[in-house]
Amino acid sequence: MTRHIVCAARDLPPGARKLVHLEGRPILVLNVKGEFHALLNICPHQGASLAGGILTGLVESGEPGDYRYSREGEILRCPWHGWEFDVKTGKSWCKPSRIRLKDYPVAVESGGALVEGPYVAETFPVSIDDDYVVVEVATARVAERGAAGG
Ligand code: FES
């Protein structure tokens, strides 16, 4: 892991985001309510930049007509197709299905028992050192050169 200084902490206040390129990777650093998080800026669905996505909250429901809104500003919605990712873990809450008519088995389960989406946005450790935001990224491997490449 290599540590990279992204910016002074005061330059990334709560609600702000900064896109940087570290070790050849586009990484989106966000300040959510004073906590810093870093995500690979490539949506695992079809590759959109997540930097233009809106931060929203989580809507959960135990039954039709009953819902709770929580975690305001902690869910990042992809600007292309709206998949949502937990900024803290990178986990997706979406599992798109194919468009077709088919019979499916039906069961009743609590919301908390449902499986989370199969796609996860890659996250990176973020810390504050002497008031600077620091992101740790695995060092990029240098491509092996062919014999003719010198
Ligand atoms: S590319 Fe992000 S939801 Fe489709």
Side-chain angles (χ1 to χ4, degrees), residues 59-87:
V59 178
E60 297 175 284
S61 176
E63 60 184 283
D66 169 42
Y67 65 90
R68 286 172 286 126
Y69 184 71
S70 63
R71 303 190 56 197
E72 173 66 35
E74 297 179 17
I75 307 298
L76 182 61
R77 182 178 299 155
C78 178
W80 279 12
H81 310 104
W83 285 27
E84 296 177 335
F85 299 92
D86 186 325
V87 170

PDB file of all heavy atoms in Angstrom, residues 59-87:
ATOM      1  N   VAL A  59     -33.932   4.199   1.832  1.00  0.00           N
ATOM      2  CA  VAL A  59     -35.354   3.989   2.101  1.00  0.00           C
ATOM      3  C   VAL A  59     -35.557   2.504   2.378  1.00  0.00           C
ATOM      4  O   VAL A  59     -35.202   1.661   1.568  1.00  0.00           O
ATOM      5  CB  VAL A  59     -36.228   4.425   0.912  1.00  0.00           C
ATOM      6  CG1 VAL A  59     -37.699   4.141   1.200  1.00  0.00           C
ATOM      7  CG2 VAL A  59     -36.013   5.902   0.600  1.00  0.00           C
ATOM      8  N   GLU A  60     -36.099   2.171   3.538  1.00  0.00           N
ATOM      9  CA  GLU A  60     -36.358   0.777   3.897  1.00  0.00           C
ATOM     10  C   GLU A  60     -37.839   0.623   4.223  1.00  0.00           C
ATOM     11  O   GLU A  60     -38.473   1.563   4.709  1.00  0.00           O
ATOM     12  CB  GLU A  60     -35.531   0.370   5.120  1.00  0.00           C
ATOM     13  CG  GLU A  60     -34.035   0.423   4.860  1.00  0.00           C
ATOM     14  CD  GLU A  60     -33.252   0.142   6.124  1.00  0.00           C
ATOM     15  OE1 GLU A  60     -33.167   1.041   6.975  1.00  0.00           O
ATOM     16  OE2 GLU A  60     -32.736  -0.988   6.245  1.00  0.00           O
ATOM     17  N   SER A  61     -38.350  -0.579   3.950  1.00  0.00           N
ATOM     18  CA  SER A  61     -39.766  -0.821   4.197  1.00  0.00           C
ATOM     19  C   SER A  61     -39.975  -2.199   4.796  1.00  0.00           C
ATOM     20  O   SER A  61     -39.391  -3.179   4.332  1.00  0.00           O
ATOM     21  CB  SER A  61     -40.548  -0.717   2.885  1.00  0.00           C
ATOM     22  OG  SER A  61     -41.909  -1.038   3.094  1.00  0.00           O
ATOM     23  N   GLY A  62     -40.791  -2.271   5.820  1.00  0.00           N
ATOM     24  CA  GLY A  62     -41.149  -3.550   6.406  1.00  0.00           C
ATOM     25  C   GLY A  62     -42.367  -4.146   5.736  1.00  0.00           C
ATOM     26  O   GLY A  62     -42.571  -5.358   5.728  1.00  0.00           O
ATOM     27  N   GLU A  63     -43.202  -3.280   5.142  1.00  0.00           N
ATOM     28  CA  GLU A  63     -44.421  -3.709   4.464  1.00  0.00           C
ATOM     29  C   GLU A  63     -44.904  -2.565   3.587  1.00  0.00           C
ATOM     30  O   GLU A  63     -44.492  -1.420   3.768  1.00  0.00           O
ATOM     31  CB  GLU A  63     -45.490  -4.075   5.494  1.00  0.00           C
ATOM     32  CG  GLU A  63     -45.862  -2.915   6.407  1.00  0.00           C
ATOM     33  CD  GLU A  63     -46.849  -3.318   7.472  1.00  0.00           C
ATOM     34  OE1 GLU A  63     -48.027  -3.454   7.129  1.00  0.00           O
ATOM     35  OE2 GLU A  63     -46.424  -3.494   8.625  1.00  0.00           O
ATOM     36  N   PRO A  64     -45.790  -2.860   2.625  1.00  0.00           N
ATOM     37  CA  PRO A  64     -46.296  -1.797   1.758  1.00  0.00           C
ATOM     38  C   PRO A  64     -46.937  -0.665   2.568  1.00  0.00           C
ATOM     39  O   PRO A  64     -47.667  -0.906   3.523  1.00  0.00           O
ATOM     40  CB  PRO A  64     -47.340  -2.515   0.888  1.00  0.00           C
ATOM     41  CG  PRO A  64     -46.889  -3.937   0.873  1.00  0.00           C
ATOM     42  CD  PRO A  64     -46.287  -4.183   2.234  1.00  0.00           C
ATOM     43  N   GLY A  65     -46.620   0.547   2.176  1.00  0.00           N
ATOM     44  CA  GLY A  65     -47.198   1.711   2.845  1.00  0.00           C
ATOM     45  C   GLY A  65     -46.430   2.152   4.073  1.00  0.00           C
ATOM     46  O   GLY A  65     -46.738   3.192   4.657  1.00  0.00           O
ATOM     47  N   ASP A  66     -45.460   1.373   4.489  1.00  0.00           N
ATOM     48  CA  ASP A  66     -44.672   1.718   5.674  1.00  0.00           C
ATOM     49  C   ASP A  66     -43.212   1.821   5.239  1.00  0.00           C
ATOM     50  O   ASP A  66     -42.657   0.851   4.728  1.00  0.00           O
ATOM     51  CB  ASP A  66     -44.829   0.626   6.739  1.00  0.00           C
ATOM     52  CG  ASP A  66     -43.836   0.812   7.870  1.00  0.00           C
ATOM     53  OD1 ASP A  66     -43.643   1.966   8.302  1.00  0.00           O
ATOM     54  OD2 ASP A  66     -43.230  -0.197   8.303  1.00  0.00           O
ATOM     55  N   TYR A  67     -42.621   2.978   5.386  1.00  0.00           N
ATOM     56  CA  TYR A  67     -41.216   3.103   5.001  1.00  0.00           C
ATOM     57  C   TYR A  67     -40.494   4.055   5.937  1.00  0.00           C
ATOM     58  O   TYR A  67     -41.103   4.895   6.588  1.00  0.00           O
ATOM     59  CB  TYR A  67     -41.081   3.556   3.544  1.00  0.00           C
ATOM     60  CG  TYR A  67     -41.617   4.939   3.285  1.00  0.00           C
ATOM     61  CD1 TYR A  67     -40.783   6.041   3.419  1.00  0.00           C
ATOM     62  CD2 TYR A  67     -42.938   5.145   2.922  1.00  0.00           C
ATOM     63  CE1 TYR A  67     -41.258   7.317   3.187  1.00  0.00           C
ATOM     64  CE2 TYR A  67     -43.419   6.415   2.687  1.00  0.00           C
ATOM     65  CZ  TYR A  67     -42.573   7.494   2.820  1.00  0.00           C
ATOM     66  OH  TYR A  67     -43.045   8.754   2.595  1.00  0.00           O
ATOM     67  N   ARG A  68     -39.187   3.865   5.987  1.00  0.00           N
ATOM     68  CA  ARG A  68     -38.325   4.719   6.804  1.00  0.00           C
ATOM     69  C   ARG A  68     -37.214   5.263   5.921  1.00  0.00           C
ATOM     70  O   ARG A  68     -36.671   4.537   5.085  1.00  0.00           O
ATOM     71  CB  ARG A  68     -37.692   3.915   7.951  1.00  0.00           C
ATOM     72  CG  ARG A  68     -38.646   3.575   9.057  1.00  0.00           C
ATOM     73  CD  ARG A  68     -38.014   2.626  10.048  1.00  0.00           C
ATOM     74  NE  ARG A  68     -37.959   1.286   9.432  1.00  0.00           N
ATOM     75  CZ  ARG A  68     -36.857   0.558   9.317  1.00  0.00           C
ATOM     76  NH1 ARG A  68     -35.722   0.991   9.769  1.00  0.00           N
ATOM     77  NH2 ARG A  68     -36.880  -0.627   8.741  1.00  0.00           N
ATOM     78  N   TYR A  69     -36.885   6.520   6.118  1.00  0.00           N
ATOM     79  CA  TYR A  69     -35.779   7.148   5.406  1.00  0.00           C
ATOM     80  C   TYR A  69     -34.674   7.413   6.418  1.00  0.00           C
ATOM     81  O   TYR A  69     -34.916   8.028   7.456  1.00  0.00           O
ATOM     82  CB  TYR A  69     -36.246   8.459   4.769  1.00  0.00           C
ATOM     83  CG  TYR A  69     -35.192   9.134   3.916  1.00  0.00           C
ATOM     84  CD1 TYR A  69     -34.813   8.594   2.697  1.00  0.00           C
ATOM     85  CD2 TYR A  69     -34.584  10.306   4.343  1.00  0.00           C
ATOM     86  CE1 TYR A  69     -33.850   9.206   1.906  1.00  0.00           C
ATOM     87  CE2 TYR A  69     -33.620  10.937   3.553  1.00  0.00           C
ATOM     88  CZ  TYR A  69     -33.259  10.376   2.349  1.00  0.00           C
ATOM     89  OH  TYR A  69     -32.303  10.987   1.571  1.00  0.00           O
ATOM     90  N   SER A  70     -33.480   6.906   6.127  1.00  0.00           N
ATOM     91  CA  SER A  70     -32.383   7.065   7.073  1.00  0.00           C
ATOM     92  C   SER A  70     -31.073   7.268   6.316  1.00  0.00           C
ATOM     93  O   SER A  70     -31.040   7.232   5.087  1.00  0.00           O
ATOM     94  CB  SER A  70     -32.277   5.825   7.974  1.00  0.00           C
ATOM     95  OG  SER A  70     -31.975   4.675   7.188  1.00  0.00           O
ATOM     96  N   ARG A  71     -30.006   7.455   7.045  1.00  0.00           N
ATOM     97  CA  ARG A  71     -28.647   7.545   6.504  1.00  0.00           C
ATOM     98  C   ARG A  71     -28.523   8.607   5.399  1.00  0.00           C
ATOM     99  O   ARG A  71     -27.848   8.376   4.396  1.00  0.00           O
ATOM    100  CB  ARG A  71     -28.190   6.177   6.034  1.00  0.00           C
ATOM    101  CG  ARG A  71     -28.240   5.140   7.152  1.00  0.00           C
ATOM    102  CD  ARG A  71     -27.569   3.855   6.778  1.00  0.00           C
ATOM    103  NE  ARG A  71     -26.206   4.123   6.374  1.00  0.00           N
ATOM    104  CZ  ARG A  71     -25.463   3.266   5.681  1.00  0.00           C
ATOM    105  NH1 ARG A  71     -25.950   2.099   5.346  1.00  0.00           N
ATOM    106  NH2 ARG A  71     -24.238   3.579   5.338  1.00  0.00           N
ATOM    107  N   GLU A  72     -29.165   9.738   5.615  1.00  0.00           N
ATOM    108  CA  GLU A  72     -29.099  10.837   4.649  1.00  0.00           C
ATOM    109  C   GLU A  72     -27.653  11.142   4.257  1.00  0.00           C
ATOM    110  O   GLU A  72     -26.787  11.284   5.118  1.00  0.00           O
ATOM    111  CB  GLU A  72     -29.743  12.089   5.260  1.00  0.00           C
ATOM    112  CG  GLU A  72     -29.600  13.345   4.437  1.00  0.00           C
ATOM    113  CD  GLU A  72     -30.357  13.293   3.114  1.00  0.00           C
ATOM    114  OE1 GLU A  72     -31.440  12.691   3.083  1.00  0.00           O
ATOM    115  OE2 GLU A  72     -29.845  13.845   2.122  1.00  0.00           O
ATOM    116  N   GLY A  73     -27.385  11.215   2.948  1.00  0.00           N
ATOM    117  CA  GLY A  73     -26.070  11.576   2.446  1.00  0.00           C
ATOM    118  C   GLY A  73     -25.054  10.451   2.431  1.00  0.00           C
ATOM    119  O   GLY A  73     -23.896  10.667   2.086  1.00  0.00           O
ATOM    120  N   GLU A  74     -25.450   9.214   2.768  1.00  0.00           N
ATOM    121  CA  GLU A  74     -24.498   8.106   2.838  1.00  0.00           C
ATOM    122  C   GLU A  74     -24.633   7.123   1.679  1.00  0.00           C
ATOM    123  O   GLU A  74     -23.893   6.154   1.592  1.00  0.00           O
ATOM    124  CB  GLU A  74     -24.670   7.341   4.167  1.00  0.00           C
ATOM    125  CG  GLU A  74     -24.378   8.196   5.382  1.00  0.00           C
ATOM    126  CD  GLU A  74     -24.570   7.450   6.685  1.00  0.00           C
ATOM    127  OE1 GLU A  74     -24.621   6.201   6.668  1.00  0.00           O
ATOM    128  OE2 GLU A  74     -24.669   8.116   7.726  1.00  0.00           O
ATOM    129  N   ILE A  75     -25.599   7.364   0.791  1.00  0.00           N
ATOM    130  CA  ILE A  75     -25.819   6.470  -0.352  1.00  0.00           C
ATOM    131  C   ILE A  75     -25.540   7.263  -1.631  1.00  0.00           C
ATOM    132  O   ILE A  75     -26.131   8.316  -1.855  1.00  0.00           O
ATOM    133  CB  ILE A  75     -27.278   5.942  -0.364  1.00  0.00           C
ATOM    134  CG1 ILE A  75     -27.644   5.304   0.989  1.00  0.00           C
ATOM    135  CG2 ILE A  75     -27.476   4.965  -1.522  1.00  0.00           C
ATOM    136  CD1 ILE A  75     -26.819   4.099   1.379  1.00  0.00           C
ATOM    137  N   LEU A  76     -24.642   6.738  -2.472  1.00  0.00           N
ATOM    138  CA  LEU A  76     -24.278   7.423  -3.714  1.00  0.00           C
ATOM    139  C   LEU A  76     -25.003   6.756  -4.881  1.00  0.00           C
ATOM    140  O   LEU A  76     -24.873   5.550  -5.100  1.00  0.00           O
ATOM    141  CB  LEU A  76     -22.756   7.354  -3.920  1.00  0.00           C
ATOM    142  CG  LEU A  76     -22.201   8.060  -5.156  1.00  0.00           C
ATOM    143  CD1 LEU A  76     -22.510   9.565  -5.120  1.00  0.00           C
ATOM    144  CD2 LEU A  76     -20.690   7.830  -5.249  1.00  0.00           C
ATOM    145  N   ARG A  77     -25.782   7.571  -5.617  1.00  0.00           N
ATOM    146  CA  ARG A  77     -26.562   7.045  -6.746  1.00  0.00           C
ATOM    147  C   ARG A  77     -25.813   7.293  -8.051  1.00  0.00           C
ATOM    148  O   ARG A  77     -25.447   8.431  -8.349  1.00  0.00           O
ATOM    149  CB  ARG A  77     -27.937   7.722  -6.781  1.00  0.00           C
ATOM    150  CG  ARG A  77     -28.843   7.208  -7.907  1.00  0.00           C
ATOM    151  CD  ARG A  77     -30.193   7.869  -7.877  1.00  0.00           C
ATOM    152  NE  ARG A  77     -30.867   7.584  -6.611  1.00  0.00           N
ATOM    153  CZ  ARG A  77     -31.809   8.362  -6.084  1.00  0.00           C
ATOM    154  NH1 ARG A  77     -32.189   9.459  -6.707  1.00  0.00           N
ATOM    155  NH2 ARG A  77     -32.365   8.044  -4.937  1.00  0.00           N
ATOM    156  N   CYS A  78     -25.587   6.233  -8.823  1.00  0.00           N
ATOM    157  CA  CYS A  78     -24.877   6.347 -10.099  1.00  0.00           C
ATOM    158  C   CYS A  78     -25.699   7.208 -11.065  1.00  0.00           C
ATOM    159  O   CYS A  78     -26.910   7.021 -11.198  1.00  0.00           O
ATOM    160  CB  CYS A  78     -24.644   4.962 -10.696  1.00  0.00           C
ATOM    161  SG  CYS A  78     -23.826   5.023 -12.310  1.00  0.00           S
ATOM    162  N   PRO A  79     -25.044   8.144 -11.778  1.00  0.00           N
ATOM    163  CA  PRO A  79     -25.797   9.035 -12.668  1.00  0.00           C
ATOM    164  C   PRO A  79     -26.330   8.348 -13.919  1.00  0.00           C
ATOM    165  O   PRO A  79     -27.199   8.906 -14.585  1.00  0.00           O
ATOM    166  CB  PRO A  79     -24.767  10.122 -13.025  1.00  0.00           C
ATOM    167  CG  PRO A  79     -23.440   9.490 -12.810  1.00  0.00           C
ATOM    168  CD  PRO A  79     -23.624   8.489 -11.706  1.00  0.00           C
ATOM    169  N   TRP A  80     -25.837   7.179 -14.274  1.00  0.00           N
ATOM    170  CA  TRP A  80     -26.299   6.551 -15.510  1.00  0.00           C
ATOM    171  C   TRP A  80     -27.597   5.771 -15.327  1.00  0.00           C
ATOM    172  O   TRP A  80     -28.566   5.977 -16.036  1.00  0.00           O
ATOM    173  CB  TRP A  80     -25.225   5.615 -16.064  1.00  0.00           C
ATOM    174  CG  TRP A  80     -24.149   6.330 -16.832  1.00  0.00           C
ATOM    175  CD1 TRP A  80     -23.927   7.681 -16.876  1.00  0.00           C
ATOM    176  CD2 TRP A  80     -23.141   5.725 -17.651  1.00  0.00           C
ATOM    177  NE1 TRP A  80     -22.835   7.948 -17.664  1.00  0.00           N
ATOM    178  CE2 TRP A  80     -22.339   6.777 -18.162  1.00  0.00           C
ATOM    179  CE3 TRP A  80     -22.837   4.418 -17.985  1.00  0.00           C
ATOM    180  CZ2 TRP A  80     -21.254   6.542 -18.991  1.00  0.00           C
ATOM    181  CZ3 TRP A  80     -21.751   4.185 -18.812  1.00  0.00           C
ATOM    182  CH2 TRP A  80     -20.980   5.238 -19.316  1.00  0.00           C
ATOM    183  N   HIS A  81     -27.668   4.836 -14.418  1.00  0.00           N
ATOM    184  CA  HIS A  81     -28.864   3.985 -14.285  1.00  0.00           C
ATOM    185  C   HIS A  81     -29.418   3.957 -12.862  1.00  0.00           C
ATOM    186  O   HIS A  81     -30.315   3.184 -12.574  1.00  0.00           O
ATOM    187  CB  HIS A  81     -28.555   2.547 -14.734  1.00  0.00           C
ATOM    188  CG  HIS A  81     -27.890   2.474 -16.080  1.00  0.00           C
ATOM    189  ND1 HIS A  81     -26.556   2.222 -16.229  1.00  0.00           N
ATOM    190  CD2 HIS A  81     -28.393   2.666 -17.317  1.00  0.00           C
ATOM    191  CE1 HIS A  81     -26.234   2.242 -17.516  1.00  0.00           C
ATOM    192  NE2 HIS A  81     -27.322   2.511 -18.197  1.00  0.00           N
ATOM    193  N   GLY A  82     -28.856   4.763 -12.009  1.00  0.00           N
ATOM    194  CA  GLY A  82     -29.443   4.921 -10.687  1.00  0.00           C
ATOM    195  C   GLY A  82     -29.100   3.862  -9.662  1.00  0.00           C
ATOM    196  O   GLY A  82     -29.709   3.846  -8.585  1.00  0.00           O
ATOM    197  N   TRP A  83     -28.176   2.980  -9.953  1.00  0.00           N
ATOM    198  CA  TRP A  83     -27.802   2.020  -8.907  1.00  0.00           C
ATOM    199  C   TRP A  83     -27.225   2.787  -7.730  1.00  0.00           C
ATOM    200  O   TRP A  83     -26.528   3.783  -7.902  1.00  0.00           O
ATOM    201  CB  TRP A  83     -26.758   1.033  -9.433  1.00  0.00           C
ATOM    202  CG  TRP A  83     -27.320  -0.005 -10.355  1.00  0.00           C
ATOM    203  CD1 TRP A  83     -28.424   0.088 -11.147  1.00  0.00           C
ATOM    204  CD2 TRP A  83     -26.768  -1.299 -10.586  1.00  0.00           C
ATOM    205  NE1 TRP A  83     -28.590  -1.062 -11.864  1.00  0.00           N
ATOM    206  CE2 TRP A  83     -27.589  -1.925 -11.542  1.00  0.00           C
ATOM    207  CE3 TRP A  83     -25.654  -1.969 -10.104  1.00  0.00           C
ATOM    208  CZ2 TRP A  83     -27.339  -3.212 -12.007  1.00  0.00           C
ATOM    209  CZ3 TRP A  83     -25.397  -3.248 -10.559  1.00  0.00           C
ATOM    210  CH2 TRP A  83     -26.241  -3.863 -11.488  1.00  0.00           C
ATOM    211  N   GLU A  84     -27.488   2.280  -6.535  1.00  0.00           N
ATOM    212  CA  GLU A  84     -27.072   2.997  -5.340  1.00  0.00           C
ATOM    213  C   GLU A  84     -26.033   2.189  -4.565  1.00  0.00           C
ATOM    214  O   GLU A  84     -26.155   0.970  -4.433  1.00  0.00           O
ATOM    215  CB  GLU A  84     -28.288   3.290  -4.463  1.00  0.00           C
ATOM    216  CG  GLU A  84     -29.263   4.232  -5.160  1.00  0.00           C
ATOM    217  CD  GLU A  84     -30.517   4.493  -4.359  1.00  0.00           C
ATOM    218  OE1 GLU A  84     -30.875   3.640  -3.518  1.00  0.00           O
ATOM    219  OE2 GLU A  84     -31.132   5.543  -4.569  1.00  0.00           O
ATOM    220  N   PHE A  85     -25.017   2.906  -4.044  1.00  0.00           N
ATOM    221  CA  PHE A  85     -23.926   2.264  -3.324  1.00  0.00           C
ATOM    222  C   PHE A  85     -23.754   2.902  -1.947  1.00  0.00           C
ATOM    223  O   PHE A  85     -23.809   4.128  -1.817  1.00  0.00           O
ATOM    224  CB  PHE A  85     -22.617   2.388  -4.112  1.00  0.00           C
ATOM    225  CG  PHE A  85     -22.707   1.729  -5.463  1.00  0.00           C
ATOM    226  CD1 PHE A  85     -23.102   2.459  -6.574  1.00  0.00           C
ATOM    227  CD2 PHE A  85     -22.452   0.381  -5.612  1.00  0.00           C
ATOM    228  CE1 PHE A  85     -23.207   1.853  -7.817  1.00  0.00           C
ATOM    229  CE2 PHE A  85     -22.558  -0.238  -6.845  1.00  0.00           C
ATOM    230  CZ  PHE A  85     -22.943   0.498  -7.957  1.00  0.00           C
ATOM    231  N   ASP A  86     -23.533   2.061  -0.961  1.00  0.00           N
ATOM    232  CA  ASP A  86     -23.242   2.531   0.393  1.00  0.00           C
ATOM    233  C   ASP A  86     -21.837   3.122   0.368  1.00  0.00           C
ATOM    234  O   ASP A  86     -20.868   2.413   0.097  1.00  0.00           O
ATOM    235  CB  ASP A  86     -23.328   1.336   1.355  1.00  0.00           C
ATOM    236  CG  ASP A  86     -23.182   1.747   2.803  1.00  0.00           C
ATOM    237  OD1 ASP A  86     -22.407   2.681   3.089  1.00  0.00           O
ATOM    238  OD2 ASP A  86     -23.829   1.110   3.645  1.00  0.00           O
ATOM    239  N   VAL A  87     -21.712   4.411   0.647  1.00  0.00           N
ATOM    240  CA  VAL A  87     -20.409   5.071   0.579  1.00  0.00           C
ATOM    241  C   VAL A  87     -19.428   4.454   1.571  1.00  0.00           C
ATOM    242  O   VAL A  87     -18.228   4.389   1.320  1.00  0.00           O
ATOM    243  CB  VAL A  87     -20.579   6.584   0.839  1.00  0.00           C
ATOM    244  CG1 VAL A  87     -19.238   7.263   1.019  1.00  0.00           C
ATOM    245  CG2 VAL A  87     -21.337   7.229  -0.311  1.00  0.00           C
TER     246      VAL A  87
END
